[in-house]
Amino acid sequence: MTRPILRGSGWRIRICRPAFQDFQRISRRYYARSVLIRHLLKLRWWDLEDPLVVDLRWRFVRDSNLVEMLVEGEGELYSGVRVLFCDHSPNPNEPTLWVLGGLRIDDEFGDLQRTIYSARSLIVQERAD
């Protein structure tokens, strides 16, 4: 069971503009994107020692600083979504996760996609400091 977030603890969630564009490409319906954003807010409880974020699976992406969370298809999200994020905290007192983007679970995730999302994480790190 996850512990509740107390004031001043837990992860701060930041969603990059390209991530919003990815999510709009995945689903044209505003309601479906709202459901996805609510799932993203579960990242506040992300714990390296737990294989689930509340009820969603996550894993590290090999050969990168990226982490992916899998949001299974349900209701408005007809196909599942692979959400990529990274940990970068410009202020050590405020741990921050950056949502970099996403794609459908059934879309290919190869070297090109890994490079794109790694580049997004570098941009976040440069601009956040």
Side-chain angles (χ1 to χ4, degrees):
M1 178 99 172
T2 59
R3 63 188 189 300
I5 297 232
L6 304 174
R7 186 180 181 108
S9 66
W11 292 93
R12 180 177 178 210
I13 307 303
R14 302 285 309 266
I15 304 174
C16 301
R17 180 181 169 90
F20 284 113
Q21 293 168 330
D22 287 352
F23 301 146
Q24 183 157 4
R25 181 181 40 78
I26 291 169
S27 177
R28 297 283 180 202
R29 298 197 53 193
Y30 177 79
Y31 181 75
R33 292 192 308 271
S34 298
V35 169
L36 179 59
I37 298 301
R38 284 194 297 273
H39 282 299
L40 295 179
L41 293 177
K42 293 176 184 178
L43 285 171
R44 291 180 291 184
W45 289 278
W46 183 57
D47 183 2
L48 284 170
E49 297 174 7
D50 192 351
L52 295 174
V53 177
V54 182
D55 60 346
L56 302 172
R57 292 179 296 136
W58 68 271
R59 62 180 174 228
F60 288 103
V61 176
R62 66 177 173 80
D63 301 329
S64 71
N65 65 335
L66 303 174
V67 184
E68 68 178 358
M69 180 174 70
L70 304 173
V71 179
E72 301 296 330
E74 60 183 51
E76 292 297 320
L77 295 173
Y78 300 116
S79 68
V81 179
R82 177 189 320 238
V83 176
L84 291 130
F85 65 95
C86 69
D87 166 16
H88 177 70
S89 303
N91 179 358
N93 296 327
E94 194 171 334
T96 306
L97 294 178
W98 294 82
V99 176
L100 303 170
L103 15 118
R104 289 184 180 90
I105 285 180
D106 55 354
D107 286 347
E108 178 187 353
F109 187 74
D111 291 335
L112 176 62
Q113 288 76 18
R114 188 178 309 109
T115 302
I116 289 169
Y117 290 106
S118 292
R120 286 183 186 179
S121 75
L122 292 175
I123 291 169
V124 161
Q125 292 171 21
E126 287 295 318
R127 292 184 180 175
D129 290 335

